[in-house]
């Protein structure tokens, strides 16, 4: 039967995989494709996610294009001129050093990329009148399930015959520095590697093509790469096996193509660069001052975290139904293959891979095809292994419960008791470290809930570990060691290393000053396992002048009492004339990890009491026990047009409190989304706070910025003199009504409404945009307006301020506002607000008054 389909398609400007950019054409997924019929029936898939399921066929494709073009395609050219001779000459000419750097390079790029509008019009006229010389090139390809081509008149070509394979590297001349020679060498290395682990390369031609693509994209015999990176070439060229020859349904079982090729990429790095992977991943200063995880531990980290938080997914889920497609197909699937390699052994695994390729080359494969080869060659019943890893989200979690060593004569008997805490079952490796520095390993079946074994040694064993390299993807490795491991480091910024198998302690000597305590010195210690479990902070300081000790402690950990995403925390403090504590339960409600509609709920009890008023500024804090219960809710949905957030809380004083009040607060923000095309970005915030009966000063709403309880979180704002007295009001902590012009003195009220508007200004420093982004440089103008809604608000003010209002005039009866300019550099913010309209809140009589503020947190 023969079917003829006539179709026409407009080639669009390039988005994702396909389209044109200036004179460059990437043509993938461009024609009506035959639907696959297999033992699961028809697969009439729509084009989504860039992945597809194609039927093997012989392709004869003729492409007609202007005769100055160079074309790279699936298959061999059988008729017409693909322009390779010119492209080869271009590469050779450049190899001789004919300049394509600097000005000459830019000129060649401009010439290759663009034509003037007049040139374009002229060309179009010629083409439509058929005057312009075109050429037709025909390609022939067999045993392929897709056909793609790339055309670009500026291409340079390097090609070479290697082991009977025509390897072709097409690059755009301005990328010569990264592409010439290196891509050829990397491709050859990759082919060598793939032939070693799987078998002979499936095609007689392989084109690696430089395209304006993010990452890369595979087609039979051709890959479009957005860079010359070694790992990218390995991944994409690896697809010639795992996608090209072993052709799976990429949508239904992404792990069979993406998982396999990513696994071989990691495997290569492991073999060639050792346990830490590729050397080029070595980090820059100051991160290089700290240790980092081994390659596989680093790869496993996000999957383990996903599992701990309860967002794991099944690897076998079809791509379009995954919330975490990338993590599942590119990370968890390779971890599954690593676990399989560990289970069957390295040697058997290599045999499996070779047999799988040999048997299924140029056929459709699925889980069953791979599983049957695994079972045949390993002689193991792997059904349950595959089912657990691919079709469930079960966790692997083992623990050493007991490790006892007894000595009789010269023989040491070690008794080991292991508990299986998780549902996923794996064979285990026990690693004993011996007193003479050697390691002895034993293999144990991890099927039972409790496993008890005795081992004898000639040398005393000092420790035991379950799978110290974690090939089994154990999600809680702390208890895999006996004795447990501990790690100590200095608690400084940039130290982001948390060992995956040890409890981490970090220490920091601290010291500061305030007028009452004088100089203070102390130590802070924090601890956690993987910065997630059992987190605590302990801090102690001694004040040399007052002779008093400060103490602070906190504890927080995840809890499963409220299903996933629950946490409990507690803190207590005794410092600088104040004492108190907080107990909190929090819970996030979300469908998946990056759910933009995640809802955060908090319930808390707090106690704050001032016992010595000499530490605080007048009007900021009232003596007495302030005990309250609170409930808060937050949500932050993001759309294409803006990101927004809503925070609301309700609090009330409870038994034992010396105060009686209720407090309600709502705050909402609108900001531009991450990537906004507009040069001027507007940010908007609304705030409303209302309290009833008689809240103490520290529980009222501050007009100028965050109130005294929030300021206590910053040691330099906590007590008199920690920040120079004269400039205390110049330090602005964003929050509450945030009227930046009114930060002088403590204007605390019961009812306040306000709004802040900021316009971020485009900075004329486009040349150093990377620099600008690194520094987080932002310049903006702002306008704050609001109203104190308390009845007779001025009556609530301290007498020293009240006395300034002459003749019963109360400026707080009116809308008040300020405006100014600000600049933010990294985290430091400098704002210059001007009063507007209503002066006189302190002892100032000017209509306008300029002030300056610095701060470290932003309003937005
Ligand atoms: Zn891929």
């Amino acid at each position: 039967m023969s079917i003829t389909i006539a179709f026409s398609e407009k080639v669009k400007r390039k988005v994702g995989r396909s389209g044109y950019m200036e004179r460059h054409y990437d043509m993938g997924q461009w024609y009506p494709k035959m639907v696959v019929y297999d033992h699961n029936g028809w697969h009439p898939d729509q084009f989504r996610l860039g992945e597809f399921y194609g039927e093997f066929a012989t392709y004869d494709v003729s492409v007609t294009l202007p005769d100055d073009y160079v074309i790279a395609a699936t298959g061999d050219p059988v008729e017409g001129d693909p322009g390779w001779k010119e492209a080869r000459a271009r590469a050779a000419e450049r190899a001789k050093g004919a300049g394509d750097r600097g000005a000459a390079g830019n000129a060649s790029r401009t010439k290759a990329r663009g034509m003037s509008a007049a040139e374009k019009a002229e060309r179009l006229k010629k083409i439509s009148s058929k005057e312009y010389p075109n050429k037709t090139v025909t390609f022939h390809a067999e045993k392929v399930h897709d056909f793609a081509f790339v055309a670009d008149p500026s291409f340079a070509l390097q090609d070479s015959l290697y082991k009977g394979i025509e390897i072709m590297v097409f690059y755009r001349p301005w990328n010569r520095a990264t592409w010439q020679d290196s891509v050829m060498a990397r491709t050859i290395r990759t082919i060598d590697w793939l032939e070693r682990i799987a078998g002979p390369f499936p095609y007689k031609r392989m084109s690696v093509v430089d395209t304006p693509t993010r990452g890369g994209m595979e087609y039979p015999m051709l890959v479009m790469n957005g860079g010359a990176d070694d790992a990218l070439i390995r991944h994409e060229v690896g697809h010639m096996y795992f996608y090209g020859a072993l052709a799976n349904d990429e949508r239904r079982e992404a792990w069979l193509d993406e998982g396999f090729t990513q696994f071989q990429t990691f495997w290569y790095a492991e073999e060639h660069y050792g346990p830490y992977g590729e050397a080029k991943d070595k980090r820059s200063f100051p991160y290089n001052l700290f240790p980092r995880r081994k390659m596989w531990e680093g790869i496993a980290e996000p999957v383990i975290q996903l599992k701990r938080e309860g967002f794991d997914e099944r690897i076998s889920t079809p791509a379009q139904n995954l919330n975490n497609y990338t993590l599942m197909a590119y990370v968890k699937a390779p971890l599954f293959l690593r676990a399989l390699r560990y289970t069957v052994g390295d040697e058997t695994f290599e045999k499996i891979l070779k047999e799988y390729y040999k048997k299924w080359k140029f056929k459709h494969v699925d889980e069953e095809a791979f599983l049957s080869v695994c079972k045949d060659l390993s002689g193991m019943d792997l059904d349950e292994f595959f089912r657990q890893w691919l079709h469930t989200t079960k966790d692997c979690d083992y623990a050493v419960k007991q490790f006892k060593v007894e000595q009789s004569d010269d023989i040491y008997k070690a008794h080991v008791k292991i508990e299986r805490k998780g549902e996923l079952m794996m064979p285990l490796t026990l690693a004993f470290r011996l007193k003479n520095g050697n390691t002895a390993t034993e293999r144990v079946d991890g099927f039972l809930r409790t496993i008890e074994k005795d081992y004898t040694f000639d040398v005393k064993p000092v420790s035991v570990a379950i799978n110290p390299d974690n090939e089994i993807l154990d999600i809680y490795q702390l208890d895999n060691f006996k004795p447990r491991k501990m790690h100590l480091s200095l608690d400084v910024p940039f130290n982001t290393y948390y060992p995956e198998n040890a409890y981490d302690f970090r220490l920091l000597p601290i010291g500061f000053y305030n007028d009452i305590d004088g100089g203070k010195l102390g130590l802070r210690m924090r601890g956690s396992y993987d910065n997630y479990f059992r987190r605590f902070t302990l801090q102690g300081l001694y004040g040399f002048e007052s002779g008093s000790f400060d103490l602070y402690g906190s504890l927080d950990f995840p809890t499963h009492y409220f299903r996933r995403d629950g946490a409990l925390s507690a803190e207590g403090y005794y410092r600088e004339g104040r004492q108190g504590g907080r107990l909190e339960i929090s819970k996030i409600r979300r469908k998946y990890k990056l759910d933009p509609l995640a809802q955060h709920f908090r319930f808390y009890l707090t106690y704050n009491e001032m016992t010595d008023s000499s530490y605080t500024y007048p009007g900021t804090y009232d003596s007495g026990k302030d005990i309250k219960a609170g409930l808060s809710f937050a949500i932050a949905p993001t759309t294409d047009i803006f990101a927004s957030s809503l925070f609301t809380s309700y609090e009330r004083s409870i038994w034992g409190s010396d105060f009686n009040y209720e407090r309600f607060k709502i705050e909402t923000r609108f900001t531009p989304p991450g990537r906004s095309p507009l040069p001027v970005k507007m940010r908007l915030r609304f705030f409303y706070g209302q309290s009833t009966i008689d809240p103490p000063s520290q529980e009222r709403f501050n007009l100028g910025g965050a109130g005294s309880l929030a300021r206590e979180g910053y040691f330099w704002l906590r007590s008199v003199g920690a920040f120079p007295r004269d400039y205390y009001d110049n330090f602005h902590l964003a929050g509450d009504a945030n009227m930046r012009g009114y930060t002088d003195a403590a204007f605390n009220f019961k009812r306040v409404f306000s709004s802040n508007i900021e316009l971020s200004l485009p900075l004329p420093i486009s040349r150093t945009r990377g620099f600008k982004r690194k520094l987080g440089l932002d310049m903006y103008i702002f306008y704050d307006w609001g109203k104190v809604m308390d009845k007779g608000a001025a009556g609530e003010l301290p007498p020293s301020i009240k006395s300034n209002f002459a003749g019963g005039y109360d400026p707080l009866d009116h809308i008040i506002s300020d405006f100014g300019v600000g600049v933010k550099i990294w985290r430091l913010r400098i704002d210059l607000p001007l009063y507007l309209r209503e002066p006189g809140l302190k002892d100032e009589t000017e209509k306008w008054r300029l002030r300056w503020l610095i701060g470290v947190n932003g309003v937005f």
Side-chain angles (χ1 to χ4, degrees):
M1 184 169 68
S2 123
I3 300 171
T4 305
I5 300 173
F7 74 98
S8 65
E9 187 189 312
K10 182 178 162 66
V11 180
K12 297 191 180 69
R13 191 174 285 279
K14 177 149 173 159
V15 184
R17 310 299 195 203
S18 210
Y20 73 89
M21 263 181 84
E22 280 151 15
R23 297 196 70 199
H24 178 97
Y25 285 78
D26 287 337
M27 302 297 289
Q29 314 290 4
W30 55 273
Y31 59 95
K33 237 173 143 173
M34 272 298 288
V35 158
V36 176
Y37 180 83
D38 67 8
H39 63 272
N40 288 311
W42 291 100
H43 292 267
D45 300 330
Q46 281 184 23
F47 177 67
R48 272 163 83 185
L49 289 167
E51 303 285 302
F52 223 78
Y53 188 24
E55 191 51 272
F56 283 104
T58 297
Y59 281 77
D60 289 292
V61 179
S62 298
V63 183
T64 301
L65 67 178
D67 70 353
D68 62 337
Y69 264 87
V70 179
I71 179 167
T74 300
D76 302 316
V78 288
E79 223 184 295
D81 172 21
W84 293 352
K85 210 175 130 194
E86 293 77 4
R88 260 181 217 121
R90 232 167 270 144
E93 178 189 317
R94 295 215 150 68
K96 275 186 279 166
D100 54 0
R101 292 195 178 186
N106 286 339
S108 90
R109 181 172 188 152
T110 313
K111 193 177 159 217
R113 285 186 116 188
M115 290 182 290
S116 69
E119 279 176 312
K120 274 183 188 161
E122 178 64 19
R123 190 181 175 83
L124 209 62
K125 211 174 102 194
K126 276 183 175 172
I127 291 169
S128 53
S129 65
K130 300 205 161 51
E131 264 177 46
Y132 200 85
N134 280 337
K135 64 182 180 186
T136 296
V137 191
T138 303
F139 289 90
H140 174 81
E142 288 173 20
K143 290 184 184 168
V144 292
H145 50 73
D146 200 355
F147 185 96
F149 67 91
V150 185
D152 188 318
S154 74
F155 269 152
L157 165 64
Q158 283 192 303
D159 54 355
S160 143
L161 194 68
Y162 182 74
K163 291 184 179 171
I165 309 155
E166 192 80 46
I167 301 171
M168 317 189 79
V169 176
F170 294 88
Y171 64 86
R172 293 170 292 167
W174 51 88
N175 288 332
R176 172 185 169 266
T178 47
W179 277 71
Q180 175 129 334
D181 301 331
S182 63
V183 173
M184 176 61 74
R186 286 166 189 167
T187 306
I188 287 174
R189 241 186 1 242
T190 298
I191 288 175
D192 269 343
W193 162 250
L194 291 162
E195 292 205 327
R196 205 211 92 190
I197 61 164
F201 197 72
Y203 310 115
K204 289 283 161 229
R205 186 183 300 282
M206 178 70 226
S207 299
V208 180
V209 190
D210 169 16
T211 62
T213 302
R214 273 178 74 193
M217 186 64 199
E218 69 281 7
Y219 299 95
M221 306 171 74
L222 179 147
V223 295
M224 301 181 185
N225 277 10
D229 184 66
D230 206 355
L232 179 68
I233 292 169
R234 226 180 301 138
H235 176 100
E236 301 303 341
V237 175
H239 269 309
M240 297 307 108
Y241 290 73
F242 312 107
Y243 150 86
L246 299 162
N248 60 306
D249 183 340
E250 300 160 59
R251 292 266 296 281
R252 208 167 60 86
E253 294 179 298
W255 67 274
L256 278 169
D257 53 302
E258 297 304 345
F260 263 84
T261 197
Q262 196 53 33
F263 173 70
Q264 64 83 16
T265 304
F266 293 145
W267 184 5
Y268 178 97
E270 186 185 23
E271 277 221 359
H272 291 74
Y273 305 106
Y276 288 90
E278 294 183 70
K280 72 170 181 51
D281 287 337
K282 285 225 172 83
R283 298 160 308 168
S284 55
F285 182 82
Y287 298 97
N288 56 2
L289 297 176
F290 305 99
R292 62 174 175 145
R293 290 190 175 188
K294 288 180 183 166
M295 183 186 81
W296 280 113
E297 305 290 359
I299 292 163
E301 188 182 353
V303 173
I304 288 177
Q305 196 53 31
L306 207 68
K307 281 180 156 291
R308 287 170 182 167
E309 292 174 9
F311 296 105
D312 191 17
E313 294 176 272
R314 298 184 308 273
I315 297 173
S316 61
T317 307
Q320 69 271 22
N321 299 338
L322 284 168
N323 292 316
N324 267 297
Y325 165 71
T326 310
L327 265 190
M328 290 300 121
Y330 295 80
V331 184
K332 196 178 165 194
L335 291 168
F336 156 70
L337 292 168
R338 183 185 185 224
L340 176 67
R341 183 182 68 179
Y342 159 76
T343 302
V344 300
D346 291 4
E347 214 176 289
T348 308
F349 185 80
E350 292 201 23
K351 278 187 199 148
I352 287 172
L353 212 53
K354 289 194 175 86
E355 178 64 19
Y356 172 51
Y357 177 63
K358 199 172 128 197
K359 191 169 168 186
W360 289 96
K361 189 156 67 162
F362 304 122
K363 295 190 183 84
H364 291 310
V365 288
D366 56 12
E367 182 187 332
E368 189 48 45
F370 181 58
L371 172 62
S372 70
V373 175
C374 290
K375 279 159 65 173
D376 284 353
L377 273 97
S378 68
M380 294 165 91
D381 178 7
L382 292 164
D383 291 288
E384 184 60 11
F385 180 90
F386 272 59
R387 194 190 68 78
Q388 288 204 335
W389 273 91
L390 299 174
H391 298 273
T392 76
T393 55
K394 288 180 174 167
D395 296 335
C396 179
D397 189 7
Y398 288 91
V400 184
K401 281 285 159 194
Q402 209 178 51
F403 172 56
K404 261 193 332 208
V405 181
E406 283 166 17
Q407 183 185 5
S408 56
D409 301 327
D410 281 346
I411 301 295
Y412 296 89
K413 197 180 91 181
H415 179 77
V416 184
K417 186 173 162 189
I418 295 162
E419 189 192 319
R420 175 163 65 80
K421 291 152 67 192
E423 294 304 311
L424 195 128
M425 292 172 282
M426 286 293 290
L428 305 178
T429 300
L430 296 185
F432 294 91
R433 218 165 54 79
L434 307 178
K435 208 170 177 190
N436 61 10
N438 292 347
T439 303
T441 58
E442 299 281 350
R443 192 95 158 187
V444 195
D445 185 32
F447 184 76
L448 295 174
R449 278 282 170 200
T450 306
I451 302 150
E452 293 196 64
K453 293 265 178 192
D454 290 317
Y455 300 95
T456 51
F457 300 94
D458 298 339
V459 184
K460 190 180 178 186
V462 289
S463 69
V464 66
I466 301 172
N467 289 67
D469 289 327
N470 203 20
E471 308 89 337
I472 57 176
L473 200 64
D474 191 305
I475 61 163
Y476 190 90
Q477 294 182 68
L478 188 60
D479 55 15
N480 291 18
F481 297 81
K482 208 90 179 178
R484 290 198 177 181
K485 291 178 143 196
M486 270 191 276
H487 181 257
L488 185 70
S489 62
L490 198 63
D491 197 358
V492 290
F494 307 110
N495 183 2
T496 54
Y497 171 71
Y498 291 90
E500 69 286 347
N501 54 18
Y503 193 87
D504 181 66
F505 289 100
R506 31 191 74 194
L507 290 173
L508 184 71
I510 46 176
F512 52 97
Y513 170 89
N514 67 50
D515 285 354
I516 293 92
D517 291 327
K520 308 181 74 166
L521 269 182
L523 195 67
R524 184 178 82 185
M525 175 159 77
R526 295 196 299 155
S528 75
Y529 168 49
D530 208 4
N531 199 22
Y532 182 70
F533 295 106
R534 303 182 194 190
R535 275 192 294 195
F536 80 86
T537 304
L538 262 182
Q539 183 175 305
L541 280 150
Y542 176 73
F544 289 98
E545 212 156 290
S546 63
S548 61
F549 278 102
D550 279 6
L551 285 172
Y552 172 85
S554 75
L555 195 66
D556 69 291
F557 44 88
T559 173
H560 292 280
Y561 275 117
F562 324 102
R563 302 187 33 219
R564 65 186 178 201
D565 280 331
L568 286 173
S569 67
E571 69 174 346
Y573 66 91
Y574 172 82
R575 68 185 169 208
E576 302 181 21
R578 276 149 288 180
Q579 61 196 37
R582 178 184 177 94
L583 277 174
E584 182 180 292
I585 297 168
S586 70
K587 153 96 186 156
I588 307 173
R589 262 185 65 183
R590 50 183 169 174
K591 289 203 178 81
Y592 50 97
K593 186 151 177 174
L594 298 174
D595 191 344
L597 294 174
Q599 299 161 298
H600 295 241
F601 296 91
R602 280 193 166 84
F603 172 72
Y604 49 89
L605 298 169
T606 68
Y607 155 58
N608 295 293
E609 183 177 8
M610 182 170 75
T611 51
D612 181 349
S613 63
S614 59
Y615 283 93
T616 55
Y617 286 96
T620 59
Y621 215 113
D622 292 348
S623 298
K625 287 194 187 79
D626 174 18
I627 306 173
K628 69 182 176 190
L631 200 59
S632 78
F633 171 79
I635 188 166
T638 295
T639 69
D640 289 347
I641 302 160
F642 58 81
S644 58
S645 70
L646 172 84
F647 174 86
T648 175
S649 68
Y650 169 79
E651 298 170 338
R652 68 172 303 157
S653 53
I654 54 170
W655 28 250
S657 178
D658 291 340
F659 304 100
N660 184 15
Y661 62 90
E662 281 181 282
R663 199 171 183 269
F664 169 77
K665 179 168 121 172
I666 184 162
E667 185 183 345
T668 166
R669 289 184 175 95
F670 300 90
T671 52
R675 247 181 280 158
S676 165
L678 301 172
V680 177
K681 298 180 181 76
M682 187 169 84
R683 304 183 281 256
L684 193 59
R685 174 183 182 263
F686 296 99
F687 175 84
Y688 176 69
Q690 177 175 344
S691 50
T692 59
I693 320 178
D694 193 20
S697 301
Q698 65 268 30
E699 298 285 5
R700 291 177 186 230
F701 299 102
N702 192 283
L703 199 59
S708 21
L709 287 177
R711 290 172 85 89
E712 263 196 65
Y714 299 81
F715 66 81
W716 64 92
L717 299 176
R718 201 177 289 146
S719 297
V720 173
F723 198 79
R725 244 175 218 262
D726 291 349
Y727 301 105
Y728 182 77
D729 289 331
N730 294 97
F731 194 94
H732 179 244
L733 195 65
D736 284 5
N738 208 63
M739 306 279 304
R740 276 162 268 199
Y742 301 83
T743 52
D744 295 14
F747 295 122
N748 298 318
F749 300 99
K750 283 160 77 174
R751 259 180 95 189
V752 175
F753 168 83
S754 77
S755 174
N756 311 109
I757 301 164
E758 282 187 6
L759 276 178
S760 174
L761 304 171
L763 294 174
I765 46 167
S766 63
R767 274 188 170 275
T768 52
R769 268 177 80 180
F771 183 66
K772 181 180 150 188
R773 208 175 306 131
K774 249 185 188 162
L775 270 184
L777 194 60
D778 185 25
M779 203 167 125
Y780 50 89
I781 50 175
F782 60 85
Y783 176 68
D784 308 319
W785 63 281
K787 177 141 175 36
V788 175
M789 298 165 87
D790 294 20
K791 278 217 177 70
E796 304 262 335
L797 292 172
S800 62
I801 297 174
K802 218 172 4 182
S803 65
N804 288 311
F805 306 151
Y809 173 70
D810 185 349
L812 297 177
D813 278 347
H814 307 268
I815 283 180
I816 50 174
S817 55
D818 62 61
F819 74 100
V821 293
V823 61
K824 210 180 143 206
I825 304 160
W826 190 48
R827 290 175 64 183
L828 185 71
R829 178 169 52 86
I830 300 160
D831 286 349
L832 300 168
L834 256 167
Y835 272 155
L836 263 185
R837 296 181 55 188
E838 301 295 347
L841 283 181
K842 209 175 181 182
D843 48 1
E844 293 148 355
T845 49
E846 306 95 326
K847 185 87 180 160
W848 302 80
R849 188 183 168 89
L850 181 71
R851 57 197 60 229
W852 60 270
L853 301 170
I854 59 165
V856 289
N857 70 335
V859 185
F860 295 93

